[in-house]
Structures are given as C-alpha cells and as structure tokens.
Amino acid sequence: MSEDDAFMQQALTLAREAAALGEVPVGAVAVHAGRVVGTGFNRREVDKSPLAHAELLALDAASKALGAWRLTGVTLYVTLEPCAMCAGALVQSRVTRLVFGAMDPKAGAVGSLYNLAEEPRHNHRLQVTSGILADESRLLLKAFFERLREKKRDK
C-alpha cells in the first residue's frame, strides 16, 4: 500500500465517523514529514457552524501542532474534492500538496467547477493528486445520501 493510500484510509475512517453522527461523510488528514499533525471530519450539524468542514478542522489542528499558520510542507488528504471555501484555505495556508478521493461536480473547487489550487493569479499554488481511493469515497457518500433520501420518503 502506498503512503497516499494509507493516509487516505485514515481520512476514510474519519469520514465514517462523520456519517455515524449524521454528517456528510468527509474526512481529512494533515501530514507533515510523514506524521499526522491534524485531522478533521465534517461537523457542521453537530457544531452548528458553516465553517466546520473536515479540511478546515484538519488545517486548524495542523497549524496548532506546528505552531504556524503557514503550512508549508503539509500534505492534506481529504476524501472529497474541496469546496471553494476549503480550497481557498488551502491556498491561504500555503499547504504544499492536496490529495483527494472523489470529485465533487456540484461544489468542487479543485478541478470540477473551479481550480483554485492551481490558479495562476494566486501567489501560492499547491500540487494536486486526485482519485486516490475515489471509489471508496464515492460509495460512502452515495450510501449516506441514499439513506438520507429514504428517511425523507418514510416521513
């Protein structure tokens, strides 16, 4: 198993934790020099916060662990393509690399709708690797939304 696969497996475990809380199953793991320095999973409903995205929580934990807002040398692993808010945070925090699983055709801002991570007008761009364990990520999301639709039908 590659290092990318191993850290993405950790992100998938976090995504499952989110799903268990009734949150959209997205997990994120921040890695610096081969060790995990921050993790997060979606908590918008639990925390009642529009900012409680997996990526932002992992970046916040990483900045505290590293004692810096500049996250140069950090790779963020996330199960779903980041939205515009999260992609902007990746750029602003100077993350070096993003690795994600499934594309998000409705809100993705790292290739689907926009590409903020590689926008040439920004003063920082990050390396992007997509499609790592994409099927697992996609199936987790699909199952979550199918259960949600079933609950709505049953009401």
Side-chain angles (χ1 to χ4, degrees):
M1 177 182 294
S2 75
E3 185 175 83
D4 284 351
D5 288 346
F7 287 122
M8 189 61 79
Q9 284 290 351
Q10 290 182 41
L12 280 163
T13 297
L14 291 164
R16 289 183 195 97
E17 287 186 47
L21 294 174
E23 298 280 352
V24 175
V26 178
V29 175
V31 176
H32 182 264
R35 83 181 166 92
V36 174
V37 292
T39 63
F41 55 82
N42 275 2
R43 297 183 51 91
R44 291 189 306 175
E45 300 297 332
V46 171
D47 292 352
K48 309 261 185 281
S49 172
L51 303 178
H53 285 217
E55 299 94 325
L56 298 183
L57 297 172
L59 292 176
D60 188 52
S63 69
K64 288 174 180 157
L66 297 172
W69 68 265
R70 287 181 187 89
L71 299 179
T72 305
V74 168
T75 297
L76 185 73
Y77 293 85
V78 63
T79 56
L80 182 65
E81 178 185 1
C83 69
M85 177 175 67
C86 294
L90 290 165
V91 171
Q92 292 299 315
S93 64
R94 313 300 196 266
V95 165
T96 298
R97 182 171 177 240
L98 167 68
V99 178
F100 70 89
M103 300 295 286
D104 185 353
K106 293 184 178 181
V110 186
S112 288
L113 297 178
Y114 316 100
N115 195 346
L116 298 178
E118 297 173 342
E119 170 57 52
R121 293 171 290 185
H122 289 160
N123 65 340
H124 175 74
R125 284 166 290 292
L126 47 144
Q127 302 163 14
V128 176
T129 303
S130 62
I132 302 298
L133 302 184
D135 290 340
E136 291 90 331
S137 297
R138 190 174 19 260
L139 290 173
L140 188 58
L141 287 157
K142 182 180 177 187
F144 174 82
F145 286 111
E146 283 175 355
R147 282 191 305 274
L148 201 60
R149 284 189 291 274
E150 284 175 17
K151 285 182 184 178
K152 287 182 180 180
R153 277 194 299 265
D154 292 343
K155 285 186 178 182

